[in-house]
Amino acid sequence: MAATGPDTPVDPQAVRRHRILFRTIAKRKNPKLRRTDITVTDEAAVKRATKAASLGNAMEWFDFGIYSYLAVTLGHVFFPSENDTAQLLSSFATFAVAFLVRPLGGMFFGPMGDRIGRKKVLALTMILMAIGTLAIGLIPSYASIGFWAPVLLIFFRLVQGFSTGGEYGGASTFIAEYAPDKRRGYFGSFLEFGTLAGYVGAAGLVTLLTAWLGSDTMEAWGWRLPFLVAGPLGLVGLYLRLRLDETPAFKKLEDESAHASEAADTIETSTKGDLAKIFRDYWPTLILCIALVGAYNVTDYMLLSYMPTYLSDELGYSETHGLLILLGVMVLLMLMINQVGKLSDRFGRKPLLMAGMLGFLVLSLPAFLLIGQGSIPAIVAGMLMLGLSLLCLLGTMSAALPALFPTPVRYGSLSVGYNLSASLFGGTTPLVITALISVTGSNLMPAYYSMAAALVGVIAVACMKETAQKPLDGSPPAVGTKEEAAELVHAQVAEPKF
């Protein structure tokens, strides 16, 4: 007798002859939900989890924002050269170095988060991130220790990048697994609220210090102050994360693993084995994730990290004025981002993501033409065009990405896909754009680069499945109230036929 499996095609004639048997098999494969199968979320716990995850994300982008906004100053401090462009390229190359090591961090921390839990790994990444940033603020300048200054800078950038490799995938997974299905977009949007808050904090602090101390003092020692703030911030984030419970989805996964057979317990799991499974079994979804994140990160870093440098170095605009304009745009985005999360819960992830990608595809060139005019109203208008397009991505992506992968491999797969893409396309964006402008002499290269990324994003969004208001793959349904749980169970009961 031939063996049959879940994917073995069934003979229609056999189904007709044995309807009851096949109906019973189908019911066993897809049993009806019981009340105990449904997770009823505790709103207070969801809010605590969202706050702890978002603070870590805010700190990550505070760190990277500081480096971006001080790129010119750090170039002078660590990379002495007669050529300003060479200094800037050296500084941005060091910025990109952290992203080159991020995939290694994702491959290390991601599978670990799927094995030992989201909470423990997120606490560890927070500690490493704080140490890396704090240490940069303590490095002596090139004038003091020569060659070792840039070496130490690169080393601690690598520490930052390695720890960040486990941050976004874990934080977005953490919030997604805590949130009720119908509000995952809203709670997920707080993660990117943290991104904007980190950037705003970095831009605001750098702007205030520059205005207060002046360029010469900033270059002498003032640049250190923003990096030194990371120590206390890291301790606060660590405290919040250690107070949390593990996510309901991971707890259920642990319970199911505990009831597995003793034979299964003898199978050795390793990071190498987990990674092999991700690349072997989930490579189509991994490619989709890389494409989505690549398009998102190029546009994100182009606007939020590179823009102040573009305004000052390429257009000769005042550094302080450029930062102030970007600061105002980001505050506006912060005020609106949670509403975008709610819209993605109501209308779906795909319409919002597609609107953002099409916005960059169509509006990038007009926006940079406006910015190139140099007047404050034109720069504000151009940055708002880009900012509102980015808002559609920021408010939606953190709920869309975790839903691509099932619970047993969610942290690992998302960390690998996100960080591979961030490494290739995100952190290299300032370096690539600066080099392209240098080679071509065209100040419109950022527009063309973001348009190319957006085109990839449009194709990726068209290929993804809609996941709004649906349970996460491999997790039970999650609802906000007991009444919702009762409605879900009741909805499975067939109406009597007369």
Side-chain angles (χ1 to χ4, degrees):
M1 184 175 176
T4 60
D7 299 321
T8 307
V10 179
D11 180 7
Q13 297 292 335
V15 174
R16 278 197 288 272
R17 289 195 302 271
H18 307 286
R19 290 183 187 278
I20 296 175
L21 174 62
F22 279 95
R23 198 177 298 137
T24 303
I25 292 171
K27 284 182 179 179
R28 285 187 178 179
K29 284 184 179 177
N30 302 289
K32 287 185 178 180
L33 281 173
R34 296 167 297 177
R35 170 61 191 82
T36 52
D37 294 328
I38 301 170
T39 301
V40 179
T41 60
D42 174 8
E43 180 137 354
V46 176
K47 288 179 178 177
R48 282 198 304 273
T50 302
K51 187 190 302 179
S54 300
L55 182 63
N57 211 44
M59 184 178 163
E60 174 189 343
W61 298 113
F62 177 79
D63 298 346
F64 282 105
I66 288 169
Y67 195 95
S68 300
Y69 303 141
L70 289 172
V72 176
T73 302
L74 292 173
H76 295 158
V77 173
F78 290 102
F79 304 99
S81 168
E82 298 300 321
N83 188 310
D84 288 343
T85 302
Q87 277 188 336
L88 188 60
L89 282 171
S90 297
S91 183
F92 276 140
T94 309
F95 178 80
V97 156
F99 285 82
L100 297 179
V101 79
R102 276 179 70 158
L104 298 179
M107 291 177 189
F108 178 79
F109 289 115
M112 185 191 294
D114 285 325
R115 283 204 311 275
I116 69 172
R118 288 50 167 136
K119 170 186 168 179
K120 294 173 185 174
V121 176
L122 281 173
L124 181 57
T125 60
M126 176 67 80
I127 294 169
L128 284 176
M129 200 187 309
I131 289 171
T133 308
L134 184 66
I136 288 175
L138 299 173
I139 300 172
S141 67
Y142 187 93
S144 300
I145 60 171
F147 166 77
W148 289 105
V151 169
L152 286 171
L153 177 63
I154 290 169
F155 173 76
F156 287 115
R157 287 291 294 161
L158 290 173
V159 172
Q160 279 185 322
F162 190 75
S163 62
T164 304
E167 178 61 34
Y168 184 90
S172 56
T173 293
F174 204 75
I175 293 176
E177 291 183 349
Y178 253 107
D181 297 332
K182 291 184 179 180
R183 301 183 70 197
R184 192 174 301 120
Y186 170 68
F187 284 110
S189 67
F190 280 95
L191 191 64
E192 297 300 352
F193 181 90
T195 297
L196 291 169
Y199 273 122
V200 166
L205 187 55
V206 170
T207 304
L208 283 172
L209 287 173
T210 304
W212 178 38
L213 299 174
S215 298
D216 292 340
T217 308
M218 279 295 289
E219 194 169 311
W221 57 267
W223 65 269
R224 299 181 184 278
L225 298 178
F227 290 101
L228 298 178
V229 171
L233 272 180
L235 290 175
V236 172
L238 182 63
Y239 170 73
L240 287 174
R241 287 186 173 181
L242 290 175
R243 287 181 64 226
L244 294 171
D245 291 327
E246 193 51 82
T247 70
F250 186 78
K251 281 182 179 177
K252 184 170 179 61
L253 190 67
E254 277 190 317
D255 290 342
E256 289 172 355
S257 300
H259 290 95
S261 65
E262 290 184 10
D265 291 338
T266 62
I267 299 174
E268 183 181 355
T269 61
S270 65
T271 297
K272 187 176 178 181
D274 292 339
L275 287 173
K277 181 180 180 182
I278 289 169
F279 283 107
R280 183 182 65 246
D281 297 343
Y282 298 99
W283 64 265
T285 315
L286 207 57
I287 291 172
L288 178 63
C289 178
I290 289 170
L292 284 168
V293 173
Y296 161 54
N297 269 350
V298 165
T299 53
D300 189 353
Y301 285 98
M302 185 270 296
L303 180 61
L304 301 186
S305 292
Y306 175 70
M307 189 58 73
T309 303
Y310 176 77
L311 290 173
S312 61
D313 274 39
E314 307 302 338
L315 303 183
Y317 204 72
S318 161
E319 287 180 39
T320 304
H321 287 173
L323 273 177
L324 283 173
I325 293 170
L326 182 59
L327 196 61
V329 170
M330 288 192 292
V331 169
L332 181 63
L333 299 187
M334 285 176 69
L335 295 174
M336 299 169 65
I337 192 167
N338 298 134
Q339 299 308 312
V340 174
K342 286 181 180 179
L343 287 175
S344 79
D345 282 330
R346 183 175 178 184
F347 298 108
R349 318 290 185 228
K350 291 185 68 170
L352 271 295
L353 291 175
M354 188 62 80
M357 298 298 183
L358 289 174
F360 276 107
L361 187 62
V362 175
L363 298 176
S364 289
L365 193 54
F368 273 92
L369 287 170
L370 275 172
I371 291 169
Q373 290 184 14
S375 68
I376 290 180
I379 292 174
V380 170
M383 288 174 70
L384 277 176
M385 290 165 70
L386 298 172
L388 293 174
S389 299
L390 181 62
L391 186 65
C392 294
L393 306 181
L394 284 172
T396 311
M397 200 66 80
S398 49
L401 292 175
L404 294 175
F405 301 100
T407 302
V409 295
R410 182 170 296 125
Y411 195 155
S413 301
L414 182 50
S415 294
V416 169
Y418 187 92
N419 289 294
L420 276 174
S421 192
S423 173
L424 292 170
F425 308 111
T428 58
T429 294
L431 180 65
V432 170
I433 293 176
T434 303
L436 286 173
I437 292 174
S438 180
V439 170
T440 64
S442 171
N443 285 333
L444 292 176
M445 289 314 297
Y448 298 133
Y449 195 57
S450 63
M451 287 167 70
L455 182 59
V456 173
V458 167
I459 297 168
V461 173
C463 293
M464 68 180 281
K465 294 178 182 177
E466 183 55 73
T467 56
Q469 300 199 18
K470 296 177 182 177
L472 292 167
D473 186 6
S475 297
V479 297
T481 64
K482 293 179 180 179
E483 289 74 21
E484 276 188 78
E487 284 175 17
L488 269 181
V489 174
H490 181 70
Q492 298 176 107
V493 180
E495 293 291 330
K497 297 179 181 179
F498 297 100

